[in-house]
Amino acid sequence: MSVTDAWNGPIGRHWADHPDRYNAMLAGFDAPLFDAAVIAAADRVLDIGCGSGHTTRTAARRAPRGRVTGVDISEPLLERARSLTPAEEYPSVSYESGDAQTHPFEPGGYDVAISRGGVMFFADHIAAFTHVAGALRPGGRLAFICPQPARADGEESKALGLLASLLGRDHASENTVATAMASLSDPKRLHEVLGAAGFTEISAAAVDAATRWGRDAADAVEFFVSRTPGLAVSAATRAAMTEVLLPHETPDGVLLRAGVWVVSARRPG
Ligand SMILES: C[S@@+](CC[C@H](N)C(=O)[O-])C[C@H]1O[C@@H](n2cnc3c(N)ncnc32)[C@H](O)[C@@H]1O
C-alpha cells in the first residue's frame, strides 16, 4: 500500500477518529518543536502533514497577526482538522489537500514551515525539502520533529515491539508507514538531505519525552489493538499485552519514553 493510500485508509482514519489520543501521545514534543520554530506574531506559517490540525491551531495562536496553512494528503484527517478548527476562532487558518512534495505553494510565501512528524513520508527527501525551501522566504525557518532510531532498550520501542510480537506482528516493518517513520532517523542523513535541499544552520537536537498511550494498561492495549481494524485478539493475548504495560502505569496514564530529533534549519537569506 502506498503512503498516500495508507493515510487515506485505516491508519489515517484511526488518527482522524482519535485526535485527543494522538495529541496526548505527542504532547511532550510540542514545546520543543515550537521553541525551535520561533513563530512571531505576524508570521505566515506552513504546517506540513498537519493531520487533525493540533499544531496548525497552536501556530495560529502564536501568530495572531499572521496566517497558517495546514497541508496534508489525508482526506479523513483534513476533514477532522476542519471540524476542529472553527473559522470564528481561527480566521487565519486554512487547510489544503495536497502532497507537500509537489503542492503548488506560493513561492517564498511563508516565514516558517513546521511539521510534527509529517516529513518522514516523503518519497524523495531532497526533492521534497527543496520544494519546501522554495515555499519559504529567504531567511525563512524550517522546524520539525522526526523519530530517533528505535533502540532495542528504548522504552516505547521495546514495549510496542513486545505488544506487536504478542499479536504475531513485526511492529517495525509491518507496513509502509512504519518503515517510512524511520527514514530520517539517522542525523547524518538529516544533515545531508537538508544541506542538499539548500538549507543552512541545520541542527538536530535529541529530545526525549513520555508518550501517553492510555488511561491504564488495559485501555492502552485496547487502543493499540484498535489500530488494526478487524483484528481478533483472544482474552489471553490481551492479558499478556496488559502485563507488558503494567510497569508503565502512572497516575498520569501509561507513559512510554521515546526520543525524537527536533530539527531546525534556515533558507539562506
Ligand atoms: C504521523 S502523522 C502526524 C500528523 C500531525 N502532524 C500530528 O502531529 O498530529 C503524519 C501526517 O503526515 C501526512 N503526510 C504524509 N505524507 C505527506 C505528504 N507527502 N504531504 C502532506 N502530508 C503528508 C499524513 O497524512 C499524516 O497526517
Side-chain angles (χ1 to χ4, degrees), residues 7 15 26 49-51 71-74 77 98-101 116-118 121-122:
W7 284 109
W15 278 70
L26 299 173
C50 61
V71 64
D72 207 288
I73 44 164
S74 168
L77 275 160
D99 183 336
Q101 302 178 92
R116 191 176 72 169
F121 307 100
F122 293 154

Side-chain angles (χ1 to χ4, degrees), residues 80-104:
R80 178 63 68 212
R82 290 188 176 107
S83 77
L84 292 173
T85 313
E88 319 77 66
E89 211 179 322
Y90 294 99
S92 67
V93 171
S94 59
Y95 292 105
E96 293 178 12
S97 172
D99 183 336
Q101 302 178 92
T102 51
H103 193 65

Side-chain angles (χ1 to χ4, degrees), residues 165-209:
S165 64
L166 284 165
L167 291 173
R169 308 170 94 86
D170 174 0
H171 169 65
S173 61
E174 191 177 336
N175 57 47
T176 329
V177 165
T179 308
M181 283 289 281
S183 67
L184 290 172
S185 294
D186 174 0
K188 189 165 160 271
R189 167 101 183 122
L190 265 172
H191 278 84
E192 278 168 10
V193 163
L194 293 177
F199 284 96
T200 54
E201 298 176 39
I202 302 160
S203 118
V207 170
D208 272 33

Side-chain angles (χ1 to χ4, degrees), residues 30 33-34 47 50 53-60 68 114-116:
D30 284 351
L33 171 65
F34 281 96
D47 188 358
C50 61
H54 175 78
T55 47
T56 323
R57 292 184 291 279
T58 306
V68 187
I114 61 169
S115 183
R116 191 176 72 169

